[in-house]
Each structure stands twice: as structure tokens, then as C-alpha cells.
């Protein structure tokens, strides 16, 4: 019955490997913080562009919509 045992061991090994690949992020604390700050800066820039576009459309539109 050695073959069955090998199969079980191989399945267990593959399951552990898959779980390890799925688990959490691989960034260190400082890398994670830097990424978080970079993402926040990009979002602020994107929001500023959207606000500028809205303002430009409002000025160009000339009137209020009902």
C-alpha cells in the first residue's frame, strides 16, 4: 500500500504549496508603507484632475442644469 501513501503525501505537499502562494502579501513593512503612500498620491492626483475637469466644464457650460 506504499503507492497510496505516496499519493497522500504528494497531495498534502501540493496543498501546502498552494496555501503558501495564496497567503498574504510579500512586502515588508517599509515597502508596504511606500506602496500605500504612492497609491494615495496617485489617487489624489487623479481626483485633482477630475475636479479640474468638472470646474472647466462648469465654466464652459455657462448655465445650471435642471
Amino acid at each position: 500500500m506504499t503507492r497510496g501513501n505516496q499519493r497522500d503525501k504528494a497531495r498534502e505537499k501540493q496543498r501546502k504549496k498552494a496555501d503558501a502562494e495564496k497567503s498574504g502579501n510579500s512586502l515588508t513593512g517599509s515597502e508596504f508603507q511606500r506602496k500605500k503612500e504612492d497609491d494615495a498620491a496617485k489617487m489624489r492626483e487623479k481626483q485633482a484632475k477630475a475636479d479640474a475637469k468638472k470646474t472647466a466644464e462648469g465654466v464652459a457650460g455657462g448655465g445650471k442644469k435642471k
Side-chain angles (χ1 to χ4, degrees):
M1 199 70 188
T2 306
R3 188 69 183 142
N5 188 29
Q6 287 176 338
R7 211 173 308 137
D8 292 340
K9 294 260 186 204
R11 285 181 183 151
E12 184 178 335
K13 183 179 176 184
Q14 288 299 320
R15 192 175 310 120
K16 284 182 182 179
K17 183 178 176 184
D19 288 344
E21 288 177 1
K22 277 194 262 183
S23 67
N25 66 39
S26 60
L27 300 176
T28 64
S30 59
E31 290 173 337
F32 183 73
Q33 185 66 29
R34 189 176 321 115
K35 182 180 180 332
K36 190 174 161 184
E37 290 171 0
D38 289 345
D39 292 346
K42 288 177 187 175
M43 291 305 293
R44 282 192 292 273
E45 182 180 337
K46 187 175 178 181
Q47 187 63 46
K49 285 182 182 179
D51 290 343
K53 185 177 176 183
K54 268 188 180 178
T55 304
E57 287 177 357
V59 171
K64 293 184 179 179
K65 292 184 178 180
K66 291 185 179 181

